[in-house]
């Protein structure tokens, strides 16, 4: 690609932007407007946050993976620490398994979008073509 002076953000920058729930492309605008509601695109650079049907499913893998790891580490740590009875341990692990993914939801999505930006920066060829086509049809209307 030549012409546009667009340099890709580094992996640590993408990770940092994801953890701050910011646009992965520019790092300026927030990805979310509420706890579960996302902005359609970045207010600063126009990067779309939901690139198409099924696009955000990948964030579920992030959320699941982090939750499973956390609950496993927590469970065995508490099990070997021997602070809680079996029932208490089960209740604590179940509560973490239920509540953590809700809290982590936004981070999983923002990190997924940042991960995607690393491997398939927006807009790709097809998206660029779609943007040009929609601009042309707006002009001709
Ligand atoms: Zn942006």
């Amino acid at each position: 690609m030549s012409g546009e002076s667009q340099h890709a953000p580094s992996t640590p920058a993408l990770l940092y932007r994801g953890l701050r729930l910011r646009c992965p492309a520019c790092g300026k605008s927030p990805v979310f407007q509420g706890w579960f509601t996302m902005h359609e695109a970045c207010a600063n650079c126009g990067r779309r946050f939901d690139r198409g049907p099924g696009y955000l499913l990948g964030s579920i893998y992030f959320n699941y993976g982090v939750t499973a790891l956390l609950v496993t580490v927590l469970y065995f740590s508490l099990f070997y620490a021997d602070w809680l009875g079996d029932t208490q341990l089960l209740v604590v692990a179940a509560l973490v398994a239920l509540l953590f993914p809700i809290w982590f939801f936004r981070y999983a999505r923002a990190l997924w979008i940042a991960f995607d930006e690393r491997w398939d920066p927006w807009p790709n060829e097809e998206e660029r073509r779609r943007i040009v086509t929609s601009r042309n049809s707006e002009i001709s209307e």
Side-chain angles (χ1 to χ4, degrees), residues 23-24 29-34 36-52 55-56 109 113 122 127:
C23 169
S29 291
V31 173
F32 284 87
Q33 55 187 333
F36 295 110
T37 319
M38 284 176 28
H39 289 287
E40 210 165 282
C42 176
N44 182 55
C45 70
R47 200 263 193 221
R48 285 194 64 80
F49 295 138
D50 187 355
R51 296 172 80 167
Y55 169 73
L56 292 166
R109 277 205 171 173
I113 295 167
W122 184 90
E127 288 163 332

Side-chain angles (χ1 to χ4, degrees), residues 25-85:
C26 70
K28 299 231 161 68
S29 291
V31 173
F32 284 87
Q33 55 187 333
W35 194 264
F36 295 110
T37 319
M38 284 176 28
H39 289 287
E40 210 165 282
C42 176
N44 182 55
C45 70
R47 200 263 193 221
R48 285 194 64 80
F49 295 138
D50 187 355
R51 296 172 80 167
Y55 169 73
L56 292 166
L57 277 178
S59 71
I60 294 172
Y61 299 119
F62 273 24
N63 207 341
Y64 173 77
V66 172
T67 302
L69 185 72
L70 180 75
V71 170
T72 304
V73 168
L74 180 80
Y75 178 84
F76 284 106
S77 300
L78 291 176
F79 181 81
Y80 287 110
D82 211 17
W83 293 335
L84 303 171

